[in-house]
Amino acid sequence: MAQAPHSILQRIDWPALDLDVARQQRNREVYAPAVSLFRWWARRPHALIGEILDAAGDADLRVSDPFSGGGTVALEAVQRGLDIYAQDLHPWAATGLATALDQVDPEALEQGGEAWLSGLSGLRKELYGANCATHGDSETLTTFWVRRAQCPGCDGHAYLYPYSMVTRASRAKGETDAYFGCGGCGAITRSAMTVVDRRCSNCGHDLRDPDKACVAGGRFHCCAPGCGETFQAFAAKFTWQPVLVQRLCGGLAHFDRLNDGDRDAAVKNRPVLPAPLVANIPSGIETRRLRNGGIIKWADLYPARQLDTMLTAAAAIDEMQIDPAVANRLRLILCGAAEMAGYASRWDRHYPKAFEVTANHRFSLTGLAAETNLLAERGRGTLVRRLGHSVRAARWANEFEGRKPLRLNSRRGDRLKQDELGQPTVVQGSSTSQLLPDNSVDLVLTDPPYFDDIQYAELGALFLVWAQATSLVSKSIRLDLRSEVVPNSTRGTDAARYCELLTSVLRETARTLKTNGRVILTFHNTAGQAWWALARALGHAGFSVSALAVGHAENESDHSKRGRRAFSHDLVLECRRGYSDPKKLVVANKGTGPQSEQLVAAGLAVADLAAELAGKKISRTRSYRTFGKSYRRHLGEGPSTYIRLGKPIEGH
């Protein structure tokens, strides 16, 4: 009988796996319903993680993930009945994962959720009940708000529609009509998209080109008679004005201009707000986009009706006599709905739907925002849809064989003893200090933050304040941003600091790993500094690379990747403790195309540096310039169109 390959990555049928990943990434919720439970970013494919676990060993495998994030590793490990230890710095990530593993009864969740929403039916009618001139009684599904700024030139009002075209009249194939907004008076005009000489029905302003950006580079050109001032659109004084609604009349959803009742309902007074929501949004790379645009407090992201909806719904959960696990599921649903912030959610004008405030892994700031009726039975991101996702996820999780009760640690504590490791454990806190005992883990399977691609803590802060406002997360829990392994200029975290933090986590991980254990991690980045930092962190933690492979990781058609030279593949690195000769490194899957060629070249350069550092083969750390030469040597004559080496790192 032929001996099985010594490398875990060699045991995988990569072409078949790539097909599975591509199929699943187009509709992840079908294959892994738990991804819908809480928002997290850059989740690795479940098919990839599951295949690695299957290739790694038997039912006695003990697995650790020190950067658990969205929880893919933990969910796939629990599905296989494996012992799993998952840890993440962010309280929202740890709480979301713990809730996903709570073993809640799906039927109790469904019944409790339906009772919860039924109890909010009166509020739904009060806040979003409306009258349609054509159909009579109706419900408002979406309210469109335009940012009305004060022009510094004429002191008049300018309406910051991103484009004159607000939305197509419907999703119907062959739809020819659309709604257009006027930057001069704010009025909405319905017109056929084929009209050449289109004018505002209120003031006659030119609305000819529906695809010409009205706010370009953050600047707006005032179209008031005799003005013509061009000014920084989002720096001007502003208010929000409702301009269009989407109604549900019977079974018909359609757009309509506002009547007096719509305006009165939209501009109601704010409810009394809990402290987390009136705290200032902290300054950061992502959050300063909001702050610079005049959104200073978290509550400023929401129209009054949405705040009333969410706070009343949170109070209703507190009053229900239900299983605590069901109550926490409902709170998680509610906090997840916070992403549909009505003063920041953008609208897809060509395929009518709202985008959440953190779409494309960025906080959005827009001149036209879409307020979703979170209590409606139709619409993206509503509570009823989120309840359905949660129930499906609970049924999916209950199909796992050999499931064990969950242990959740939300603070530092004594290390676990060997006899305490037989159940899934989720820990919140920096993975520079883990609760695992020495030499206790067979496989560390993780994806560390991909350098500065995503500012996890800043994006997650929105959900954390709602989790604390609704008692899902204790108000005493604090997030230590200094420990986040992500470069962030506002915190003074550069490539070198990223390397130091990652090294600390990997050294602690090495302590927990058995002598013959493996570390498998996924990585991609377009910055050469990121690869250099990863190589140094691995080597200084005592790891060298023994095998690598290129695998399909992301959906190329995702909105955030369209028109950009972005990676849709990951490099998978298999590492061992101590020195491993890079000349004997196994390339389990080279892939095809320029992405794969550059990922493999980067992986080989990482292996060169990590091996020298792990084996102490050199007296000093190799410079970034030397690392770049290693990458170019492995790449050969081909152009490096994805990975940019950039300037040498100061001091390295």
Side-chain angles (χ1 to χ4, degrees):
M1 181 181 294
Q3 188 174 4
H6 193 50
S7 163
I8 293 173
L9 299 186
Q10 278 185 293
R11 303 170 194 166
I12 294 173
D13 182 346
W14 288 96
L17 174 58
D18 282 349
L19 291 174
D20 285 344
V21 169
R23 182 175 64 254
Q24 290 192 15
Q25 290 298 83
R26 294 188 186 99
N27 199 350
R28 293 182 304 166
E29 292 80 1
V30 172
Y31 298 96
V35 302
S36 299
L37 288 180
F38 67 102
R39 177 71 61 184
W40 200 250
W41 302 273
R43 282 179 163 110
R44 295 304 89 196
H46 279 253
L48 171 65
I49 298 304
E51 191 68 24
I52 293 173
L53 289 173
D54 290 340
D58 53 33
D60 294 328
L61 193 71
R62 181 166 293 146
V63 184
S64 170
D65 181 1
F67 296 102
S68 62
T72 303
V73 174
L75 289 165
E76 289 297 314
V78 169
Q79 188 173 1
R80 288 161 174 77
L82 303 176
D83 292 345
I84 174 67
Y85 175 95
Q87 184 161 339
D88 199 272
L89 174 70
H90 206 289
W92 172 250
T95 301
L97 177 56
T99 306
L101 296 174
D102 59 6
Q103 297 187 341
V104 69
D105 181 343
E107 307 310 321
L109 173 60
E110 186 171 37
Q111 293 171 10
E114 289 175 351
W116 175 50
L117 294 178
S118 176
L120 297 171
S121 59
L123 180 70
R124 173 182 169 187
K125 185 172 183 180
E126 174 191 341
L127 296 182
Y128 291 100
N131 183 269
C132 175
T134 304
H135 305 99
D137 287 344
S138 68
E139 180 176 16
T140 301
L141 296 179
T142 311
T143 302
F144 295 85
W145 296 83
V146 68
R147 188 176 173 116
R148 187 177 69 175
Q150 187 173 345
C151 173
C154 64
D155 210 31
H157 289 138
Y159 297 83
L160 305 185
Y161 291 101
Y163 299 88
S164 63
M165 179 176 157
V166 172
T167 182
R168 287 177 45 165
S170 75
R171 291 186 181 181
K173 186 177 181 180
E175 175 63 75
T176 59
D177 277 16
Y179 289 87
F180 298 83
C182 177
C185 70
I188 293 288
T189 298
R190 179 166 180 160
S191 167
M193 289 182 279
T194 54
V195 170
V196 176
D197 188 19
R198 183 182 302 105
R199 300 283 171 171
C200 172
S201 59
N202 182 58
C203 71
H205 179 63
D206 184 357
L207 302 176
R208 293 179 190 176
D209 189 351
D211 293 317
K212 181 181 178 180
C214 300
V215 180
R219 299 179 69 80
F220 187 86
H221 182 77
C222 181
C223 53
C227 181
E229 179 84 5
T230 298
F231 61 94
Q232 288 292 338
F234 297 111
K237 294 181 179 179
F238 74 97
T239 56
W240 289 101
Q241 178 172 310
V243 291
L244 185 72
V245 293
Q246 182 187 36
R247 304 188 191 282
L248 182 65
C249 300
L252 174 68
H254 68 98
F255 297 101
D256 198 3
R257 295 179 181 85
L258 279 78
N259 57 40
D260 290 342
D262 297 321
R263 292 187 183 89
D264 291 343
V267 296
K268 71 185 300 291
N269 293 328
R270 272 185 181 180
V272 177
L273 301 174
L277 296 180
V278 294
N280 284 345
I281 299 173
S283 181
I285 291 175
E286 290 300 326
T287 53
R288 70 186 172 199
R289 184 177 294 109
L290 301 177
R291 291 171 57 90
N292 290 345
I295 298 176
I296 307 301
K297 302 181 185 300
W298 291 110
D300 294 343
L301 287 165
Y302 303 90
R305 280 188 302 191
Q306 281 192 326
L307 290 169
D308 200 351
T309 294
M310 296 188 68
L311 294 174
T312 303
I317 297 171
D318 293 339
E319 295 171 1
M320 296 176 71
Q321 301 297 316
I322 52 177
D323 181 353
V326 171
N328 278 340
R329 281 277 183 143
L330 299 183
R331 292 187 181 101
L332 189 71
I333 289 168
L334 186 59
C335 294
E339 67 184 356
M340 307 307 295
Y343 284 155
S345 291
R346 292 177 291 112
W347 185 259
D348 187 325
R349 59 203 176 101
H350 292 294
Y351 188 71
K353 66 176 180 179
F355 284 118
E356 62 276 7
V357 66
T358 58
N360 299 342
H361 311 336
R362 298 286 185 270
F363 276 125
S364 62
L365 187 67
T366 182
L368 178 72
E371 174 197 349
T372 298
N373 171 5
L374 299 174
L375 296 171
E377 293 185 1
R378 288 179 60 172
R380 192 164 181 264
T382 61
L383 297 181
V384 68
R385 290 190 67 174
R386 292 174 187 275
L387 174 61
H389 290 317
S390 191
V391 171
R392 283 192 293 275
R395 288 182 175 138
W396 175 73
N398 276 16
E399 294 174 357
F400 300 168
E401 295 182 4
R403 294 181 310 136
K404 302 169 185 176
L406 171 75
R407 178 192 292 110
L408 172 64
N409 268 287
S410 59
R411 57 183 174 80
R412 302 268 51 84
D414 295 333
R415 289 180 185 167
L416 301 172
K417 296 180 175 58
Q418 287 286 349
D419 59 2
E420 294 179 310
L421 295 177
Q423 65 189 89
T425 301
V426 177
V427 176
Q428 183 270 315
S430 171
S431 288
T432 56
S433 177
Q434 300 173 34
L435 303 188
L436 287 163
D438 296 349
N439 305 314
S440 59
V441 174
D442 300 290
L443 174 66
V444 175
L445 180 54
T446 192
D447 61 308
Y450 292 3
F451 203 55
D452 61 354
D453 279 2
I454 301 173
Q455 296 296 325
Y456 296 94
E458 292 186 24
L459 297 174
L462 170 68
F463 299 101
L464 180 57
V465 296
W466 276 102
Q468 293 183 317
T470 59
S471 302
L472 179 63
V473 171
S474 170
K475 292 182 177 64
S476 65
I477 289 180
R478 293 291 179 266
L479 179 59
D480 181 10
L481 293 178
R482 296 170 300 175
S483 299
E484 187 184 31
V485 188
V486 174
N488 185 301
S489 57
T490 63
R491 300 198 294 267
T493 308
D494 57 9
R497 178 58 176 158
Y498 168 82
C499 179
E500 292 173 9
L501 290 168
L502 184 55
T503 300
S504 297
V505 173
L506 291 176
R507 280 178 174 158
E508 175 70 352
T509 298
R511 177 191 65 77
T512 70
L513 194 65
K514 293 179 180 178
T515 303
N516 61 346
R518 311 286 178 85
V519 171
I520 295 181
L521 58 88
T522 61
F523 199 80
H524 73 235
N525 201 275
T526 58
Q529 294 183 1
W531 295 97
W532 167 83
L534 174 64
R536 279 171 49 92
L538 285 169
H540 283 309
F543 291 109
S544 56
V545 181
S546 60
L548 59 82
V550 175
H552 193 201
E554 298 183 20
N555 185 359
E556 297 92 336
S557 63
D558 279 351
H559 189 271
S560 61
K561 294 186 177 294
R562 294 176 195 167
R564 298 178 57 198
R565 191 170 291 277
F567 280 113
S568 60
H569 288 64
D570 278 343
L571 184 69
V572 186
L573 297 168
E574 182 176 342
C575 307
R576 300 180 185 179
R577 291 167 65 176
Y579 176 78
S580 182
D581 187 351
K583 295 180 180 179
K584 297 180 180 179
L585 181 147
V586 173
V587 180
N589 187 48
K590 291 184 177 180
T592 58
Q595 272 196 47
S596 298
E597 292 172 359
Q598 290 164 55
L599 286 171
V600 169
L604 294 174
V606 167
D608 288 343
L609 176 53
E612 291 188 359
L613 295 175
K616 298 180 174 59
K617 298 290 184 180
I618 53 177
S619 58
R620 61 184 179 83
T621 302
R622 285 192 346 173
S623 70
Y624 177 58
R625 190 187 302 274
T626 305
F627 173 82
K629 290 180 179 178
S630 176
Y631 167 72
R632 292 296 320 177
R633 174 171 55 83
H634 288 299
L635 183 60
E637 298 300 323
S640 186
T641 53
Y642 284 87
I643 296 176
R644 304 181 303 272
L645 292 175
K647 298 179 181 179
I649 299 172
E650 186 177 349
H652 297 281

